[in-house]
Coordinates of all heavy atoms in Angstrom, one line a residue:
M1 N -163.3 106.9 8.7 CA -162.1 106.3 8.7 C -161.3 106.5 7.4 O -161.7 106.0 6.4 CB -162.2 104.8 9.0 CG -160.9 104.1 9.2 SD -161.4 102.4 9.8 CE -160.0 101.5 9.2
S2 N -160.2 107.3 7.5 CA -159.5 107.5 6.2 C -158.3 106.6 6.0 O -157.7 106.2 7.0 CB -159.0 108.9 6.1 OG -158.0 109.1 7.1
I3 N -158.1 106.1 4.9 CA -157.0 105.2 4.6 C -155.8 106.0 4.0 O -156.0 106.8 3.1 CB -157.4 104.1 3.6 CG1 -158.6 103.3 4.2 CG2 -156.2 103.3 3.2 CD1 -159.1 102.2 3.3
E4 N -154.7 105.9 4.6 CA -153.5 106.7 4.3 C -153.0 106.0 3.0 O -152.8 104.8 2.9 CB -152.5 106.6 5.4 CG -151.5 107.7 5.3 CD -150.7 107.7 6.6 OE1 -151.2 108.1 7.6 OE2 -149.4 107.3 6.6
P5 N -152.5 106.8 2.0 CA -152.0 106.3 0.8 C -150.6 105.6 1.1 O -149.9 106.0 2.1 CB -151.8 107.5 -0.1 CG -151.8 108.7 0.8 CD -152.6 108.3 2.0
T6 N -150.2 104.6 0.3 CA -149.0 104.0 0.5 C -147.8 104.9 0.0 O -148.1 105.9 -0.6 CB -148.9 102.7 -0.4 OG1 -148.9 103.1 -1.7 CG2 -150.0 101.7 -0.1
D7 N -146.6 104.6 0.4 CA -145.5 105.3 -0.1 C -145.4 105.5 -1.5 O -145.2 106.5 -2.1 CB -144.2 104.8 0.5 CG -144.0 104.9 2.0 OD1 -144.7 105.7 2.6 OD2 -143.1 104.3 2.5
A8 N -145.7 104.3 -2.2 CA -145.7 104.3 -3.7 C -146.7 105.2 -4.2 O -146.4 106.0 -5.2 CB -145.9 102.9 -4.2
E9 N -147.9 105.3 -3.7 CA -148.9 106.2 -4.1 C -148.5 107.7 -3.9 O -148.7 108.5 -4.8 CB -150.3 105.9 -3.5 CG -150.9 104.6 -3.8 CD -152.0 104.2 -3.0 OE1 -152.1 104.6 -1.8 OE2 -152.8 103.3 -3.5
V10 N -147.9 107.9 -2.8 CA -147.4 109.3 -2.5 C -146.3 109.7 -3.5 O -146.4 110.8 -4.1 CB -146.9 109.4 -1.1 CG1 -146.3 110.8 -0.8 CG2 -148.0 109.2 -0.1
I11 N -145.4 108.8 -3.7 CA -144.3 109.1 -4.7 C -144.8 109.3 -6.1 O -144.4 110.2 -6.8 CB -143.2 108.1 -4.6 CG1 -142.5 108.2 -3.2 CG2 -142.2 108.2 -5.7 CD1 -141.5 107.0 -2.9
A12 N -145.7 108.5 -6.5 CA -146.4 108.6 -7.8 C -147.0 110.0 -8.0 O -146.9 110.6 -9.0 CB -147.3 107.5 -8.1
A13 N -147.7 110.4 -6.9 CA -148.4 111.6 -6.9 C -147.4 112.8 -7.0 O -147.7 113.9 -7.5 CB -149.4 111.8 -5.7
S14 N -146.3 112.6 -6.3 CA -145.3 113.6 -6.3 C -144.6 113.9 -7.5 O -143.9 114.9 -7.7 CB -144.2 113.3 -5.1 OG -143.3 112.3 -5.6
R15 N -144.7 113.0 -8.5 CA -144.1 113.2 -9.8 C -144.8 114.4 -10.5 O -144.2 115.1 -11.3 CB -144.3 112.0 -10.6 CG -143.3 110.8 -10.1 CD -143.5 109.6 -10.8 NE -142.6 108.6 -10.2 CZ -142.8 107.2 -10.4 NH1 -143.8 106.8 -11.0 NH2 -141.9 106.4 -9.8
D16 N -146.1 114.6 -10.2 CA -146.8 115.8 -10.8 C -146.8 116.9 -9.8 O -146.9 118.1 -10.2 CB -148.2 115.4 -11.1 CG -148.2 114.4 -12.3 OD1 -147.4 114.5 -13.2 OD2 -149.1 113.5 -12.3
D17 N -146.8 116.6 -8.4 CA -146.9 117.6 -7.4 C -145.8 117.4 -6.4 O -146.0 116.6 -5.5 CB -148.3 117.5 -6.8 CG -148.4 118.5 -5.6 OD1 -147.6 119.5 -5.5 OD2 -149.3 118.4 -4.8
P18 N -144.6 118.0 -6.6 CA -143.4 117.7 -5.7 C -143.8 117.9 -4.2 O -143.1 117.3 -3.4 CB -142.4 118.7 -6.2 CG -142.7 119.0 -7.7 CD -144.2 118.9 -7.7
D19 N -144.7 118.8 -4.0 CA -145.0 119.0 -2.5 C -145.6 117.8 -1.8 O -145.5 117.7 -0.6 CB -146.0 120.2 -2.4 CG -145.4 121.5 -2.7 OD1 -144.2 121.7 -2.8 OD2 -146.2 122.5 -3.1
A20 N -146.2 116.9 -2.6 CA -146.7 115.7 -2.1 C -145.6 114.8 -1.4 O -145.9 114.0 -0.5 CB -147.5 114.8 -3.1
F21 N -144.4 115.0 -1.8 CA -143.3 114.2 -1.3 C -143.0 114.5 0.2 O -142.4 113.7 0.9 CB -142.0 114.5 -2.1 CG -140.9 113.4 -1.9 CD1 -140.9 112.3 -2.6 CD2 -139.9 113.7 -1.0 CE1 -139.9 111.3 -2.5 CE2 -138.9 112.7 -0.8 CZ -138.9 111.6 -1.5
A22 N -143.5 115.5 0.7 CA -143.4 115.9 2.1 C -143.9 114.8 3.0 O -143.4 114.5 4.1 CB -144.1 117.2 2.4
A23 N -144.9 114.1 2.6 CA -145.4 112.9 3.3 C -144.3 111.8 3.5 O -144.3 111.2 4.6 CB -146.6 112.3 2.7
I24 N -143.5 111.6 2.5 CA -142.4 110.6 2.6 C -141.5 111.1 3.7 O -141.0 110.3 4.5 CB -141.8 110.4 1.2 CG1 -142.8 109.8 0.2 CG2 -140.6 109.5 1.4 CD1 -143.4 108.5 0.6
F25 N -141.1 112.4 3.6 CA -140.2 112.9 4.6 C -140.8 112.7 6.0 O -140.1 112.3 6.9 CB -140.0 114.4 4.2 CG -139.1 115.1 5.2 CD1 -137.7 115.1 5.0 CD2 -139.6 115.8 6.4 CE1 -136.9 115.8 5.9 CE2 -138.8 116.4 7.2 CZ -137.4 116.4 7.0
E26 N -142.0 113.1 6.2 CA -142.6 113.0 7.5 C -142.7 111.5 8.0 O -142.5 111.3 9.2 CB -144.0 113.6 7.5 CG -144.0 115.1 7.3 CD -145.4 115.7 7.0 OE1 -146.4 114.9 7.0 OE2 -145.5 116.9 6.7
R27 N -142.9 110.6 7.2 CA -143.0 109.2 7.5 C -141.7 108.6 7.9 O -141.5 107.7 8.8 CB -143.6 108.4 6.5 CG -145.1 108.7 6.1 CD -145.6 107.8 5.0 NE -146.9 108.2 4.6 CZ -147.6 107.7 3.6 NH1 -147.1 106.7 2.9 NH2 -148.8 108.1 3.4
H28 N -140.6 109.0 7.2 CA -139.4 108.2 7.3 C -138.2 108.9 7.7 O -137.1 108.4 8.0 CB -139.1 107.6 5.9 CG -140.2 106.7 5.4 ND1 -140.5 105.5 6.0 CD2 -141.0 106.9 4.4 CE1 -141.5 104.9 5.4 NE2 -141.8 105.7 4.4
F29 N -138.2 110.3 8.0 CA -137.0 111.0 8.3 C -136.5 110.5 9.6 O -135.2 110.3 9.7 CB -137.3 112.5 8.4 CG -136.1 113.3 8.8 CD1 -135.2 113.7 7.8 CD2 -135.8 113.6 10.2 CE1 -134.0 114.3 8.2 CE2 -134.7 114.3 10.5 CZ -133.8 114.7 9.5
D30 N -137.3 110.3 10.6 CA -136.7 109.9 11.9 C -136.0 108.6 11.8 O -134.9 108.5 12.5 CB -137.9 109.8 13.0 CG -138.4 111.2 13.4 OD1 -137.8 112.2 13.1 OD2 -139.6 111.2 13.9
A31 N -136.5 107.6 11.1 CA -135.8 106.3 11.0 C -134.5 106.4 10.3 O -133.4 105.9 10.7 CB -136.7 105.3 10.3
I32 N -134.5 107.2 9.2 CA -133.2 107.5 8.5 C -132.2 108.2 9.3 O -131.0 107.8 9.3 CB -133.5 108.2 7.1 CG1 -134.4 107.3 6.2 CG2 -132.2 108.5 6.4 CD1 -133.9 105.9 5.9
F33 N -132.7 109.2 10.0 CA -131.8 110.0 10.9 C -131.2 109.2 11.9 O -130.0 109.3 12.2 CB -132.6 111.2 11.5 CG -131.7 111.9 12.5 CD1 -130.7 112.7 12.1 CD2 -132.0 111.8 13.8 CE1 -129.9 113.4 13.0 CE2 -131.3 112.4 14.8 CZ -130.2 113.3 14.4
R34 N -132.0 108.3 12.6 CA -131.5 107.5 13.7 C -130.4 106.5 13.1 O -129.4 106.3 13.8 CB -132.6 106.7 14.3 CG -133.4 107.5 15.3 CD -134.4 106.6 16.1 NE -135.2 105.8 15.4 CZ -136.4 106.1 14.9 NH1 -136.9 107.3 15.1 NH2 -137.1 105.2 14.2
Y35 N -130.7 106.0 12.0 CA -129.7 105.1 11.4 C -128.4 105.7 11.1 O -127.3 105.2 11.5 CB -130.3 104.5 10.0 CG -129.4 103.8 9.2 CD1 -129.1 102.4 9.4 CD2 -128.7 104.4 8.1 CE1 -128.2 101.7 8.7 CE2 -127.8 103.7 7.3 CZ -127.6 102.3 7.6 OH -126.7 101.6 6.8
L36 N -128.4 106.9 10.6 CA -127.2 107.7 10.2 C -126.5 108.2 11.5 O -125.3 108.2 11.7 CB -127.5 108.8 9.3 CG -128.0 108.5 7.9 CD1 -128.6 109.7 7.2 CD2 -126.8 107.9 7.1
R37 N -127.3 108.6 12.6 CA -126.7 109.1 13.8 C -125.9 108.0 14.5 O -124.8 108.3 15.0 CB -127.8 109.6 14.7 CG -127.3 110.3 15.9 CD -128.4 110.7 16.9 NE -129.1 109.5 17.3 CZ -130.3 109.5 17.8 NH1 -131.0 110.6 17.7 NH2 -130.8 108.4 18.2
R38 N -126.3 106.8 14.4 CA -125.5 105.7 15.1 C -124.2 105.5 14.4 O -123.3 105.0 15.0 CB -126.4 104.4 15.0 CG -127.5 104.4 16.0 CD -128.1 103.0 16.1 NE -128.6 102.4 14.9 CZ -129.8 102.5 14.4 NH1 -130.8 103.3 15.1 NH2 -130.2 102.0 13.3
R39 N -124.1 105.9 13.2 CA -122.9 105.7 12.4 C -122.0 106.9 12.4 O -120.7 106.8 12.3 CB -123.2 105.2 11.0 CG -123.7 103.8 11.0 CD -124.7 103.5 10.0 NE -125.1 102.1 10.1 CZ -126.0 101.7 10.9 NH1 -126.7 102.5 11.7 NH2 -126.4 100.4 11.0
V40 N -122.5 108.1 12.3 CA -121.6 109.3 12.1 C -121.9 110.4 13.1 O -121.3 111.5 13.0 CB -121.7 109.8 10.7 CG1 -121.2 108.8 9.7 CG2 -123.2 110.2 10.4
G41 N -122.7 110.2 14.1 CA -122.9 111.3 15.1 C -124.1 112.2 14.6 O -124.4 112.2 13.5
R42 N -124.5 113.1 15.5 CA -125.7 113.9 15.2 C -125.5 114.9 14.1 O -126.4 115.0 13.2 CB -126.1 114.6 16.5 CG -127.3 115.4 16.4 CD -127.8 116.0 17.7 NE -129.1 116.6 17.5 CZ -130.3 115.9 17.6 NH1 -130.4 114.7 17.7 NH2 -131.4 116.6 17.4
T43 N -124.5 115.7 14.2 CA -124.4 116.8 13.3 C -124.3 116.3 11.8 O -125.0 116.7 11.0 CB -123.1 117.6 13.6 OG1 -123.2 118.1 14.9 CG2 -123.0 118.8 12.6
R44 N -123.4 115.4 11.6 CA -123.2 114.8 10.3 C -124.4 114.0 9.8 O -124.8 114.1 8.6 CB -122.0 114.0 10.2 CG -121.5 113.5 8.8 CD -121.2 114.7 8.0 NE -120.8 114.3 6.6 CZ -121.1 114.9 5.6 NH1 -121.8 116.1 5.6 NH2 -120.9 114.5 4.3
A45 N -125.1 113.4 10.8 CA -126.4 112.6 10.4 C -127.4 113.6 10.0 O -128.2 113.3 9.0 CB -126.8 111.8 11.7
E46 N -127.5 114.7 10.5 CA -128.5 115.7 10.0 C -128.3 116.1 8.6 O -129.3 116.2 7.9 CB -128.5 117.0 11.0 CG -129.1 116.8 12.4 CD -128.8 117.9 13.3 OE1 -128.1 118.9 12.9 OE2 -129.4 117.9 14.4
E47 N -127.0 116.3 8.3 CA -126.7 116.7 6.9 C -127.0 115.5 6.0 O -127.5 115.8 4.9 CB -125.2 117.1 6.8 CG -124.8 118.3 7.6 CD -123.3 118.5 7.7 OE1 -122.6 117.8 7.1 OE2 -122.9 119.4 8.5
L48 N -126.5 114.4 6.4 CA -126.7 113.2 5.5 C -128.2 112.8 5.3 O -128.6 112.4 4.2 CB -125.9 112.0 5.9 CG -124.4 112.1 5.8 CD1 -123.7 110.9 6.5 CD2 -124.0 112.2 4.3
A49 N -128.9 112.9 6.4 CA -130.4 112.7 6.3 C -131.1 113.6 5.3 O -131.9 113.2 4.5 CB -131.0 112.7 7.6
A50 N -130.7 114.9 5.5 CA -131.3 115.9 4.6 C -130.9 115.6 3.1 O -131.7 115.7 2.2 CB -130.8 117.3 5.0
E51 N -129.7 115.2 2.9 CA -129.2 114.9 1.6 C -129.9 113.7 1.0 O -130.2 113.6 -0.1 CB -127.7 114.8 1.5 CG -127.1 114.5 0.2 CD -127.4 115.6 -0.9 OE1 -127.6 116.8 -0.5 OE2 -127.4 115.3 -2.1
T52 N -130.2 112.8 1.9 CA -130.9 111.5 1.5 C -132.2 111.8 0.9 O -132.7 111.4 -0.2 CB -131.1 110.6 2.7 OG1 -129.9 110.1 3.2 CG2 -132.0 109.4 2.3
F53 N -133.0 112.8 1.6 CA -134.3 113.1 1.1 C -134.3 114.1 -0.1 O -135.1 114.1 -1.0 CB -135.2 113.7 2.2 CG -135.7 112.6 3.1 CD1 -134.9 112.2 4.3 CD2 -136.8 112.0 2.9 CE1 -135.3 111.2 5.0 CE2 -137.2 110.9 3.7 CZ -136.5 110.6 4.8
T54 N -133.2 114.9 -0.2 CA -133.0 115.8 -1.4 C -132.8 114.8 -2.6 O -133.3 115.1 -3.7 CB -131.7 116.7 -1.2 OG1 -132.1 117.5 -0.1 CG2 -131.5 117.5 -2.4
Q55 N -131.9 113.8 -2.5 CA -131.6 112.9 -3.6 C -132.9 112.1 -3.9 O -133.2 111.8 -5.1 CB -130.4 112.0 -3.3 CG -129.1 112.8 -3.3 CD -127.9 111.9 -3.3 OE1 -128.1 110.6 -3.4 NE2 -126.8 112.4 -3.1
A56 N -133.6 111.6 -2.9 CA -134.8 110.9 -3.1 C -135.8 111.7 -3.9 O -136.4 111.2 -4.9 CB -135.4 110.4 -1.8
L57 N -136.1 113.0 -3.6 CA -136.9 113.8 -4.3 C -136.5 114.0 -5.7 O -137.4 113.8 -6.7 CB -137.0 115.2 -3.6 CG -137.9 116.2 -4.3 CD1 -139.4 115.7 -4.3 CD2 -137.8 117.6 -3.6
A58 N -135.2 114.2 -5.9 CA -134.7 114.3 -7.3 C -134.9 113.0 -8.1 O -135.0 113.1 -9.3 CB -133.3 114.8 -7.3
A59 N -134.8 111.9 -7.4 CA -134.9 110.6 -8.1 C -136.2 109.9 -8.1 O -136.3 108.7 -8.4 CB -133.7 109.6 -7.6
R60 N -137.2 110.6 -7.6 CA -138.5 110.0 -7.4 C -139.1 109.3 -8.7 O -139.8 108.3 -8.5 CB -139.5 110.9 -6.8 CG -139.9 112.0 -7.7 CD -140.7 113.1 -6.8 NE -141.2 114.2 -7.7 CZ -140.5 115.2 -8.0 NH1 -139.2 115.3 -7.7 NH2 -141.0 116.1 -8.8
H61 N -138.7 109.8 -9.8 CA -139.2 109.2 -11.0 C -138.6 107.8 -11.2 O -139.2 107.0 -12.0 CB -138.9 110.1 -12.2 CG -137.4 110.2 -12.4 ND1 -136.6 111.1 -11.7 CD2 -136.5 109.6 -13.3 CE1 -135.4 111.0 -12.1 NE2 -135.3 110.2 -13.1
R62 N -137.5 107.4 -10.5 CA -136.9 106.1 -10.7 C -137.4 105.1 -9.6 O -137.1 103.9 -9.7 CB -135.4 106.2 -10.6 CG -134.8 107.0 -11.7 CD -133.3 106.8 -11.7 NE -132.7 107.0 -10.5 CZ -131.7 107.9 -10.2 NH1 -131.3 108.7 -11.1 NH2 -131.2 107.9 -9.0
F63 N -138.2 105.6 -8.7 CA -138.8 104.7 -7.7 C -139.7 103.7 -8.3 O -140.6 104.0 -9.1 CB -139.5 105.5 -6.5 CG -140.1 104.6 -5.5 CD1 -139.3 104.1 -4.5 CD2 -141.4 104.3 -5.5 CE1 -139.8 103.2 -3.6 CE2 -142.0 103.5 -4.5 CZ -141.2 103.0 -3.5
D64 N -139.6 102.4 -7.9 CA -140.4 101.4 -8.5 C -141.8 101.3 -7.7 O -141.8 100.9 -6.6 CB -139.7 100.0 -8.4 CG -140.5 98.8 -8.9 OD1 -141.7 99.0 -9.4 OD2 -140.0 97.7 -8.9
T65 N -142.8 101.9 -8.3 CA -144.1 102.0 -7.6 C -144.8 100.6 -7.4 O -145.8 100.6 -6.7 CB -145.0 103.0 -8.3 OG1 -145.1 102.6 -9.7 CG2 -144.5 104.4 -8.3
R66 N -144.2 99.5 -7.9 CA -144.8 98.2 -7.5 C -144.5 97.9 -6.1 O -145.1 97.0 -5.5 CB -144.3 97.2 -8.5 CG -144.7 97.4 -9.9 CD -144.1 96.4 -10.9 NE -142.7 96.7 -10.9 CZ -141.8 96.1 -11.7 NH1 -142.2 95.1 -12.4 NH2 -140.5 96.5 -11.6
R67 N -143.5 98.6 -5.5 CA -143.2 98.3 -4.1 C -144.0 99.3 -3.2 O -144.0 100.5 -3.5 CB -141.7 98.6 -3.9 CG -140.8 97.6 -4.7 CD -139.3 97.9 -4.5 NE -138.6 97.1 -5.3 CZ -137.9 96.0 -4.9 NH1 -138.0 95.6 -3.6 NH2 -137.2 95.3 -5.7
A68 N -144.6 98.8 -2.2 CA -145.5 99.7 -1.5 C -144.7 100.7 -0.6 O -145.1 101.9 -0.4 CB -146.4 98.9 -0.6
G69 N -143.6 100.2 0.0 CA -142.8 101.0 0.9 C -141.6 101.6 0.4 O -140.9 101.0 -0.5
A70 N -141.3 102.8 0.8 CA -140.1 103.5 0.4 C -138.8 103.4 1.2 O -137.8 103.8 0.9 CB -140.4 105.0 0.2
R71 N -139.1 102.9 2.4 CA -138.0 102.9 3.4 C -136.7 102.1 2.9 O -135.6 102.7 3.1 CB -138.5 102.4 4.8 CG -137.4 102.7 5.9 CD -137.9 102.3 7.2 NE -138.9 103.4 7.6 CZ -139.5 103.4 8.8 NH1 -139.2 102.5 9.7 NH2 -140.4 104.3 9.1
P72 N -136.8 100.9 2.3 CA -135.7 100.3 1.9 C -134.9 101.2 0.8 O -133.7 101.2 0.7 CB -136.2 99.0 1.3 CG -137.5 98.7 2.0 CD -138.0 100.1 2.2
W73 N -135.7 101.8 -0.1 CA -135.1 102.7 -1.1 C -134.3 103.8 -0.4 O -133.2 104.2 -0.8 CB -136.2 103.2 -2.0 CG -135.8 104.1 -3.0 CD1 -135.0 103.9 -4.1 CD2 -136.4 105.4 -3.2 NE1 -135.0 105.1 -4.9 CE2 -135.8 106.0 -4.4 CE3 -137.3 106.2 -2.5 CZ2 -136.1 107.3 -4.8 CZ3 -137.6 107.5 -2.9 CH2 -137.0 108.0 -4.1
L74 N -134.9 104.4 0.6 CA -134.3 105.6 1.3 C -133.1 105.1 2.0 O -132.0 105.8 2.1 CB -135.3 106.1 2.3 CG -136.5 106.9 1.7 CD1 -137.6 107.2 2.7 CD2 -136.0 108.1 0.9
Y75 N -133.1 103.9 2.7 CA -131.9 103.3 3.3 C -130.8 103.1 2.3 O -129.6 103.4 2.5 CB -132.2 102.0 4.0 CG -132.8 102.2 5.4 CD1 -134.0 101.6 5.7 CD2 -132.1 102.9 6.3 CE1 -134.5 101.7 7.0 CE2 -132.6 103.0 7.6 CZ -133.8 102.5 8.0 OH -134.3 102.5 9.2
G76 N -131.1 102.6 1.1 CA -130.1 102.5 0.0 C -129.4 103.8 -0.3 O -128.2 103.9 -0.5
I77 N -130.2 104.9 -0.4 CA -129.6 106.2 -0.7 C -128.7 106.6 0.4 O -127.6 107.1 0.3 CB -130.8 107.2 -1.0 CG1 -131.5 106.9 -2.3 CG2 -130.2 108.6 -1.0 CD1 -132.8 107.7 -2.4
A78 N -129.2 106.4 1.7 CA -128.4 106.8 2.8 C -127.1 106.0 2.9 O -126.0 106.6 3.3 CB -129.3 106.6 4.2
V79 N -127.1 104.7 2.6 CA -125.9 103.9 2.7 C -124.9 104.5 1.6 O -123.7 104.5 1.9 CB -126.3 102.4 2.4 CG1 -125.0 101.6 2.1 CG2 -127.0 101.8 3.6
N80 N -125.4 104.8 0.5 CA -124.5 105.3 -0.6 C -123.9 106.6 -0.1 O -122.7 106.8 -0.4 CB -125.2 105.5 -1.9 CG -125.6 104.2 -2.6 OD1 -124.9 103.2 -2.4 ND2 -126.6 104.2 -3.4
L81 N -124.6 107.5 0.5 CA -124.1 108.7 1.0 C -123.1 108.4 2.1 O -122.1 109.2 2.2 CB -125.3 109.6 1.5 CG -126.1 110.2 0.4 CD1 -127.3 110.9 1.1 CD2 -125.3 111.3 -0.4
L82 N -123.4 107.4 2.9 CA -122.4 107.1 4.0 C -121.1 106.6 3.4 O -120.0 107.0 3.8 CB -122.9 106.0 4.9 CG -123.8 106.4 6.1 CD1 -124.3 105.1 6.7 CD2 -122.9 107.1 7.1
R83 N -121.2 105.8 2.4 CA -120.0 105.3 1.6 C -119.1 106.5 1.1 O -118.0 106.5 1.3 CB -120.3 104.4 0.6 CG -120.7 103.0 0.9 CD -120.8 102.0 -0.3 NE -121.6 100.9 0.1 CZ -122.6 100.5 -0.5 NH1 -123.0 101.1 -1.7 NH2 -123.3 99.5 -0.2
H84 N -119.8 107.4 0.5 CA -119.1 108.6 -0.1 C -118.5 109.4 1.1 O -117.3 109.8 1.0 CB -120.1 109.4 -0.9 CG -119.6 110.7 -1.4 ND1 -118.7 110.6 -2.5 CD2 -119.6 111.9 -1.0 CE1 -118.3 111.9 -2.7 NE2 -118.9 112.6 -1.8
H85 N -119.2 109.5 2.2 CA -118.7 110.2 3.3 C -117.4 109.6 3.9 O -116.4 110.2 4.1 CB -119.7 110.3 4.4 CG -119.2 110.8 5.7 ND1 -118.8 112.1 6.0 CD2 -119.0 110.1 6.9 CE1 -118.4 112.2 7.2 NE2 -118.5 111.1 7.8
Y86 N -117.4 108.2 4.1 CA -116.3 107.5 4.5 C -115.1 107.7 3.6 O -114.0 107.8 4.0 CB -116.7 106.1 4.8 CG -117.5 105.8 5.9 CD1 -118.6 104.8 5.9 CD2 -117.5 106.6 7.1 CE1 -119.4 104.5 7.0 CE2 -118.3 106.4 8.2 CZ -119.3 105.4 8.1 OH -120.1 105.1 9.2
R87 N -115.4 107.5 2.3 CA -114.3 107.6 1.4 C -113.6 109.0 1.4 O -112.4 109.2 1.4 CB -114.8 107.3 -0.1 CG -114.8 105.9 -0.4 CD -115.1 105.6 -1.8 NE -116.4 104.9 -1.8 CZ -117.4 105.1 -2.6 NH1 -117.4 106.2 -3.4 NH2 -118.5 104.5 -2.4
S88 N -114.5 110.0 1.4 CA -114.0 111.4 1.5 C -113.2 111.6 2.8 O -112.1 112.3 2.7 CB -115.1 112.4 1.4 OG -115.8 112.3 0.3
E89 N -113.7 111.1 3.9 CA -113.0 111.3 5.1 C -111.6 110.5 5.1 O -110.6 111.1 5.6 CB -113.8 110.7 6.2 CG -113.5 111.1 7.6 CD -114.5 110.7 8.6 OE1 -114.6 109.5 8.9 OE2 -115.2 111.6 9.1
E90 N -111.6 109.3 4.5 CA -110.4 108.6 4.4 C -109.4 109.4 3.5 O -108.1 109.4 3.8 CB -110.6 107.2 3.8 CG -109.5 106.3 3.8 CD -109.8 104.9 3.2 OE1 -110.9 104.5 3.5 OE2 -109.0 104.4 2.5
R91 N -109.8 110.0 2.4 CA -108.9 110.7 1.6 C -108.3 111.9 2.3 O -107.1 112.2 2.2 CB -109.6 111.2 0.3 CG -109.7 110.1 -0.8 CD -110.2 110.7 -2.1 NE -111.5 111.3 -2.0 CZ -112.7 110.6 -2.3 NH1 -112.6 109.4 -2.6 NH2 -113.8 111.2 -2.2
E92 N -109.2 112.6 3.0 CA -108.7 113.7 3.8 C -107.7 113.3 4.9 O -106.6 114.0 5.0 CB -109.9 114.4 4.6 CG -110.8 115.2 3.7 CD -111.9 115.8 4.4 OE1 -111.9 116.0 5.6 OE2 -113.0 116.1 3.8
L93 N -107.9 112.2 5.5 CA -106.9 111.8 6.6 C -105.6 111.3 5.9 O -104.5 111.6 6.4 CB -107.5 110.5 7.3 CG -108.6 110.9 8.3 CD1 -109.2 109.6 8.9 CD2 -108.1 111.8 9.4
R94 N -105.6 110.8 4.7 CA -104.4 110.4 4.0 C -103.7 111.6 3.6 O -102.4 111.6 3.5 CB -104.7 109.5 2.9 CG -104.8 108.1 3.2 CD -104.8 107.1 2.0 NE -106.0 106.5 1.9 CZ -106.7 106.3 0.8 NH1 -106.3 106.6 -0.3 NH2 -107.9 105.7 0.9
A95 N -104.4 112.7 3.2 CA -103.8 113.9 2.8 C -103.0 114.6 3.9 O -102.0 115.3 3.6 CB -104.8 114.9 2.2
Y96 N -103.4 114.4 5.1 CA -102.8 115.0 6.2 C -101.5 114.2 6.5 O -100.5 114.6 7.0 CB -103.6 115.0 7.5 CG -104.7 116.0 7.4 CD1 -106.0 115.6 7.6 CD2 -104.4 117.4 7.2 CE1 -107.0 116.6 7.5 CE2 -105.5 118.3 7.1 CZ -106.8 117.9 7.3 OH -107.8 118.8 7.2

């Protein structure tokens, strides 16, 4: 019986081995994608979900490893990207 490492352990390991971060992607991509899809549709959700994990990988050194789960952190990144998307969309509409 193997015990799966926590998100915090995976992220800590990914600081030295970025390929280890793939486990975070595999564990949480579907949930983040569904959250975004409900708000912006499938195509834009795919882009924002990919960007969420790109930013998370780049910012993994800032993750608080005292927290076992990464999902709330990932949702925070996704929400910030949504805000930016909505602001950009609003500016574009005003420009027209």
Side-chain angles (χ1 to χ4, degrees):
M1 182 169 156
S2 70
I3 297 176
E4 199 169 291
T6 66
D7 289 346
E9 292 168 337
V10 171
I11 292 172
S14 77
R15 291 174 180 163
D16 293 325
D17 177 17
D19 291 339
F21 197 82
I24 299 299
F25 179 87
E26 292 169 5
R27 290 178 188 178
H28 301 293
F29 181 84
D30 290 340
I32 298 298
F33 173 74
R34 284 190 307 269
Y35 171 80
L36 293 166
R37 186 182 64 208
R38 286 191 303 269
R39 284 150 182 83
V40 293
R42 181 176 190 80
T43 302
R44 189 65 182 139
E46 288 172 351
E47 296 168 9
L48 290 172
E51 182 61 23
T52 297
F53 285 89
T54 299
Q55 286 190 13
L57 177 63
R60 68 191 183 278
H61 64 280
R62 293 192 315 238
F63 179 77
D64 182 359
T65 55
R66 293 175 293 181
R67 298 176 185 261
R71 192 170 290 182
W73 176 63
L74 294 167
Y75 276 123
I77 294 169
V79 165
N80 288 335
L81 288 170
L82 272 174
R83 280 190 203 128
H84 179 72
H85 168 71
Y86 289 143
R87 275 187 245 131
S88 295
E89 199 171 68
E90 188 177 321
R91 280 192 297 270
E92 286 177 23
L93 289 172
R94 274 194 246 141
Y96 288 122

